[in-house]
Amino acid sequence: MQTPTASGSRTDTTTNTKHRSTRLQIFLIVSLTFSMATLCLSHYKVVHSVTDHDRVTVPLPRNQAPAKGGLPPVPDFVKRKATQNQENTDLDQGLTGQGLVTFRTPQEAVGEDAKILLQPTMGVHRPSSNAVFAFAEGYDLKVYATFIESLKQTGFAGDVVLAVSDTKKMKTDVFDYLKWYSDGGDKSLRIVAYALDWHCLTKNGDKIKGSQRGSTVNHGFSDCKLDGMYSGKDGAPAEDPREARPVATARYELYYIWSKQYLERSKILVIDSRDTY
């Protein structure tokens, strides 16, 4: 019997390695081809399964039928009650003549004759100025200074409109700091601050006393109301007509009121005050 040489063993090993490599390459190519084919097929199904909008099934509230074009009707409570122009007769189906839904303004929720009563605690709006809006209640001086000073360094010389805590609940030196900037000249950054006294409730509907919360509105999570934003029919301050809601949501009504103090050409930025600098 002839004994195999070392050279023959190395040749067999090299051949086997090449075969395994070839099989692996073939397997990878087949797998990749199959994956691409599956992906293309899925894309084809998604693109071609709906040929027009009318074929899209939209879940509807119980006992409500689709409006024109297969779209769901707008619930009655969001339809504007004010008189509409004749060309907007489609509003009954949840659409206006332009295909847009018109909502009531917060002011109209109080009444047709309601007027804005809410006024700033310090500072005066400059209607032709640009403005930055922020909800900034319950913070210490460092937060206000970081936000305002960094904004000032950008060269901004417009109004900075803030919702802040009631003056009696402000932390050390906050009132004096905001007051100093509220007296700014016409060509410099000016603070316009609204010190608000929210009426907040627990999730069970019980009134929250000031001693029960660290921040006036529990950092935006308490359900609250704010009376006196608008006047009633007799001109007296009206109660908040809306249900108590998180201040994180209710603040947007403040932004609406503030925006009414500026011209249409004014640029307004709504931003977070604590995490922006």
Side-chain angles (χ1 to χ4, degrees):
M1 179 180 295
Q2 185 176 3
T3 304
T5 62
S7 175
S9 299
R10 287 195 297 269
T11 301
D12 292 341
T13 302
T14 301
T15 301
N16 292 336
T17 301
K18 288 182 178 180
H19 288 168
R20 286 196 297 269
S21 178
T22 301
R23 288 196 295 268
L24 178 60
Q25 290 176 0
I26 294 174
F27 174 77
L28 292 176
I29 291 173
V30 172
S31 299
L32 181 60
T33 302
F34 179 77
S35 299
M36 292 298 295
T38 303
L39 180 61
C40 291
L41 181 60
S42 299
H43 176 72
Y44 179 87
K45 289 182 178 179
V46 170
V47 171
H48 295 276
S49 60
V50 179
T51 57
D52 54 63
H53 181 75
D54 290 337
R55 291 185 59 188
V56 178
T57 303
V58 181
L60 297 176
R62 187 177 300 173
N63 299 326
Q64 291 194 20
K68 293 182 178 180
L71 295 173
V74 177
D76 291 338
F77 72 89
V78 300
K79 292 181 181 177
R80 186 172 183 150
K81 294 183 179 180
T83 302
Q84 300 292 326
N85 294 331
Q86 184 63 35
E87 62 268 19
N88 291 337
T89 54
D90 284 342
L91 184 62
D92 288 338
Q93 285 79 33
L95 302 172
T96 65
Q98 293 76 35
L100 302 175
V101 178
T102 306
F103 296 87
R104 290 192 302 168
T105 65
Q107 193 170 343
E108 290 173 337
V110 178
E112 294 181 359
D113 299 326
K115 296 181 179 180
I116 296 174
L117 290 183
L118 194 64
Q119 296 295 322
T121 307
M122 59 183 82
V124 178
H125 293 278
R126 294 173 290 186
S128 60
S129 172
N130 297 328
V132 174
F133 293 173
F135 189 89
E137 183 186 322
Y139 302 141
D140 56 31
L141 179 60
K142 181 180 179 180
V143 174
Y144 293 102
T146 301
F147 177 67
I148 294 170
E149 298 300 329
S150 61
L151 180 58
K152 182 180 177 181
Q153 289 179 9
T154 67
F156 181 75
D159 291 351
V160 180
V161 190
L162 303 175
V164 298
S165 305
D166 185 276
T167 56
K168 297 178 181 179
K169 301 173 184 176
M170 287 183 178
K171 297 185 179 180
T172 306
D173 296 328
V174 169
F175 178 85
D176 292 336
Y177 178 78
L178 297 177
K179 179 64 177 173
W180 190 85
Y181 269 110
S182 69
D183 297 329
D186 291 337
K187 297 183 179 180
S188 61
L189 182 148
R190 176 185 293 182
I191 294 294
V192 181
Y194 286 75
L196 305 172
D197 185 19
W198 297 89
H199 302 287
C200 300
L201 309 172
T202 65
K203 296 302 180 181
N204 294 327
D206 298 326
K207 185 176 181 179
I208 300 177
K209 298 180 180 179
S211 59
Q212 293 178 299
R213 35 195 166 129
S215 166
T216 304
V217 295
N218 190 25
H219 306 290
F221 291 105
S222 294
D223 291 337
C224 304
K225 303 183 72 171
L226 183 62
D227 298 330
M229 288 188 287
Y230 308 100
S231 64
K233 293 182 179 179
D234 55 359
E239 293 185 1
D240 189 339
R242 301 172 185 270
E243 295 181 358
R245 63 273 190 205
V247 172
T249 300
R251 60 182 173 172
Y252 288 96
E253 189 158 355
L254 297 177
Y255 300 157
Y256 164 78
I257 292 175
W258 298 347
S259 69
K260 302 291 284 185
Q261 311 303 317
Y262 295 92
L263 301 178
E264 289 186 2
R265 67 172 182 268
S266 296
K267 297 178 180 179
I268 296 175
L269 174 65
V270 178
I271 199 169
D272 184 83
S273 60
R274 181 174 54 179
D275 303 319
T276 309
Y277 53 88

